[in-house]
Structure formats: C-alpha cells, structure tokens
Amino acid sequence: MNKIDFRSDTVSWPTPEMREAMATAAVGDDVYGDDPTVNELEALAAEMTGKEAALFVSSGTQGNLISMMVHAGRGHEAIIGEDAHVFKYEAGGMAVLGSVVPKPVPTDDMGRMDIAAVRGAIRPDDPHFPQSRLICAENSSGGNYGAAIPLDYLADLRDVADEFGLRFHLDGARVFNATTALGIDVSEMMAYVDSASICLSKGLCAPVGSVIVGDEEFIYHGRRLRKMLGGGMRQAGMIAAAGIIALRDMSQRLQVDHDNAQRMAQGLAEIPYVSIDPHKVQTNMVFFTVSDEAPLSTAEITERLRDEYNILIGGYRMNGFRAVIHYWITAKEVDQLLNALRELLSEK
Ligand SMILES: *Cc1c(COP(=O)(O)O)cnc(C)c1O
C-alpha cells in the first residue's frame, strides 16, 4: 500500500498522461541541440514566462547554481534571505562551485528581506569588501508557510537592483503556487527579475527537472555552465515530455491543492493542542505546532502516524510540522490525516 505522503510536493509521482508522453516522446541529442521535445519545453517556458529563452536543467539546485554563476563570479557577493533555499539547502554550491560569496539577510515570516536591510547590505567600492553583484528572492517561500509574496516586494527589490547595477534572480521553485495564490499570470512576476529557476518536479508532478529562464545572453552562458556542471543530458526529451505537461497543464490546477491546504488548516484549528493560523496558509503548505501539554511529543506523533496510519509528515523546527499538499493528496487524504491526529491527540 502506498504511503500517504505529506512530507513535500517533491514526492509527487508523474501522472498517467506524463508516463504516456514520456514513452512516446520524440528525442535527439540535447547537447547537440537536437532533442525536439526539450526544445519544445524550452520554447514553452520562455513563452509562458515572457522571457527570451529557457534552459532545461536537471534540478532546481542546478538551476539556481547555474543562474548565480552566470550573474556573479569569483569574489562577487549575492544578497540572499537567510532562510532561502539557495542559502540553506543547496550544500553551499554558490560558494563551493561558484566562488560567489553569500550575504545572508534576515527575513520576516513570509520570507521577505527588509528593503532597507538589502540596501544596507550593498558594499561600497572598497578593496576590503567583496563586490555586490546579485540579489536573490524566493517565491513562494518554502520555509515560511509557503507564503506567496506580492509583486510590490519584487518591485522594490528591482528598484534597488537597478539603482546599484545588480542582477536579480528569483528562485521560483514553486512560482506557480505563488502566482495562483496572487491571481496573476506568471509573466507578470517574471517581469521584475533577470532570471528565474522553476521546478517541474514539485507540485507540477514531473519526475525530474527544472527550467531556468532569462534573456538570450543569460541562457547562452547558462548552457555552457550546465555542461560544465554535468547537466548536459542526451535524449532528455524522455523527461522533458513530462515537463511540458507540468508547465502547460499542471501549473493551471494548483488552486485545488491550495483549497485542500485550507481545508487542512481549518480542520487542524479545531483539534486540541494544535496551533495554526489558517490565514497564513496561502498556497500548498500547512505549518502547525503541537503544544508541550499534548499527550504525545512531535516525534511520537510522527512515528505513530507512520506506523499506525500509513501517513508520512515532515517535522519543522522544535515542535512543528510541515504538511505539503500536491496532486496525489486529495480532500480524502487530508481528512485521514485530520482524523488520525484527532485520535492520537485525544489519548490520555
Ligand atoms: C526544491 C527547491 C529547490 C531545489 O530543487 P531540487 O530540484 O530539489 O534541487 C530550490 N528552491 C526551492 C525554494 C525549493 O523548494
């Protein structure tokens, strides 16, 4: 029996339609530029985002790394939220492989850096300092309730970038969750940034891959870096075929996931010992905590959900949980989790 898996949207499997498209995809050698399915995916990504060009990459981490390495080089500094994925969860690749110095800036509970702090982080021209070159933002914010950050924040960062001649990269791993929650087209958000990385493999259900988007020159340099980093794939149309369905179709259905997340939040708010603010649930992530007075600890709850209810859920910080909704989690599975928690937390 398959587990009911709330740990992340990365656990989502490809849909039957994706498997069919993958099995029948036209392919070629993509390092030679010969794979028609990869080319179609890249054209679609560029068109949907309103950018000049796109590049299919093996993961979101690789997409962010390539983007940072195009924009910044040895001894350049990137201003970045201190809980941003690129800073915390990418093994320090920007510094290790890109020689880019991270300049982490505190973030609020939506994952936003304070604009004055961003300005303050920009270095004067002085040989003591690395050279400021890049600003990175993340939307939606995976570490902060999956918050969908409104455009005015990106506009403010764009202004700072323009004023100081910096580049601006968006980690848009879940950008369609953000734009769905904000009720805008993805191209409206992309207009503020020089480049973005978009995961096909999370809530969009593709088995592998991300795309990065930007202008022709950005993608030209990105293509060489992708090869250098070992991401030049050959008959990659096999997986790009699923990516086309992810971008074209799966990006349009995320409101269903957000509604199910809201259903979970409302349900959790009724369960004793659980603390949650349903207003913070804007996309597909539900963060909640269980108080110390509860009959079970966070670790015990996680274990018993797994062993007795076949439910997997992620922990977050001290006594917190993160549940992530995706295509394969429907209202039925949400209710199963709510019922299980209700049972466990009413034990004496
Ligand atoms: C998942 C994720 C990434 C990295 O994607 P991988 O495909 O797992 O390498 C980057 N940024 C954010 C915000 C993510 O959630």
Side-chain angles (χ1 to χ4, degrees):
M1 189 168 131
N2 283 321
K3 301 263 187 223
I4 302 170
D5 199 341
F6 289 93
R7 288 172 304 168
S8 178
D9 45 11
T10 56
V11 304
S12 61
W13 309 294
T15 63
E17 190 195 355
M18 287 178 173
R19 289 177 187 268
E20 173 69 25
M22 292 168 75
T24 56
V27 295
D29 188 324
D30 181 51
V31 177
Y32 291 154
D34 284 350
D35 190 301
T37 308
V38 172
N39 293 341
E40 186 187 333
L41 170 65
E42 291 175 348
L44 175 67
E47 189 205 314
M48 286 178 73
T49 56
K51 292 297 189 199
E52 285 176 12
L55 185 69
F56 184 43
V57 296
S58 62
S59 68
T61 301
Q62 188 178 67
N64 282 331
L65 177 59
I66 291 171
S67 301
M68 310 245 261
M69 288 176 72
V70 173
H71 292 312
R74 192 172 168 86
H76 293 154
E77 200 166 50
I79 296 167
I80 200 168
E82 69 182 2
D83 52 9
H85 196 282
V86 269
F87 182 57
K88 266 176 97 174
Y89 300 116
E90 298 184 7
M94 60 188 292
V96 177
L97 301 168
S99 300
V100 178
V101 183
K103 173 67 183 169
V105 170
T107 50
D108 66 10
D109 65 357
M110 286 180 77
R112 289 175 299 202
M113 300 178 280
D114 178 61
I115 299 298
V118 171
R119 288 176 164 277
I122 294 168
R123 307 288 191 172
D125 184 12
D126 176 321
H128 289 86
F129 299 131
Q131 292 172 280
S132 304
R133 182 57 61 91
L134 176 64
I135 299 173
C136 292
E138 179 179 316
N139 210 2
S140 64
S141 177
N144 294 282
Y145 307 91
I149 306 177
L151 291 182
D152 57 355
Y153 172 70
L154 297 177
D156 287 346
L157 289 179
R158 178 78 261 170
D159 287 345
V160 176
D162 287 343
E163 187 181 331
F164 293 92
L166 309 179
R167 312 308 301 273
F168 183 12
H169 173 72
L170 179 70
D171 179 358
R174 296 188 182 82
V175 72
F176 287 103
N177 292 97
T179 55
T180 298
L182 296 169
I184 58 173
D185 190 82
V186 70
S187 62
E188 291 176 65
M189 186 170 292
M190 293 294 163
Y192 292 98
V193 299
D194 296 303
S195 62
S197 173
I198 302 171
C199 284
L200 307 171
S201 60
K202 299 207 167 153
L204 305 186
C205 284
V208 182
S210 284
V211 287
I212 55 174
V213 296
D215 65 18
E216 298 275 5
E217 199 189 336
F218 169 81
I219 295 297
Y220 170 82
H221 293 296
R223 199 173 282 283
R224 178 167 283 108
L225 286 164
R226 183 184 68 171
K227 187 78 183 83
M228 187 190 293
L229 294 167
M233 298 180 283
R234 302 298 178 174
Q235 285 72 39
M238 295 291 293
I239 47 179
I244 290 170
I245 294 168
L247 266 189
R248 188 191 59 208
D249 302 334
M250 300 301 277
S251 66
Q252 308 302 307
R253 56 154 301 285
L254 295 172
Q255 190 57 49
V256 177
D257 296 348
H258 298 181
D259 291 345
N260 282 327
Q262 196 49 236
R263 178 190 187 90
M264 182 187 290
Q266 302 290 339
L268 285 168
E270 306 288 308
I271 297 178
Y273 306 112
V274 172
S275 167
I276 176 155
D277 181 355
H279 293 294
K280 285 196 167 158
V281 179
Q282 301 177 317
T283 63
N284 65 330
M285 294 188 178
V286 184
F287 286 66
F288 62 98
T289 55
V290 172
S291 79
D292 294 340
E293 284 75 50
L296 299 173
S297 72
T298 303
E300 286 166 335
I301 293 168
T302 306
E303 230 167 80
R304 293 194 49 192
L305 283 173
R306 184 192 63 210
D307 297 342
E308 294 167 33
Y309 297 90
N310 208 32
I311 293 173
L312 300 179
I313 186 167
Y316 198 75
R317 297 195 180 137
M318 292 291 284
N319 52 350
F321 292 99
R322 187 184 81 160
V324 188
I325 307 290
H326 53 80
Y327 182 75
W328 300 97
I329 298 283
T330 66
K332 176 171 155 252
E333 285 79 25
V334 167
D335 291 347
Q336 278 176 266
L337 174 61
L338 292 172
N339 289 333
L341 282 171
R342 215 174 278 121
E343 279 179 22
L344 289 173
L345 289 171
S346 60
E347 281 182 1
K348 281 282 165 311

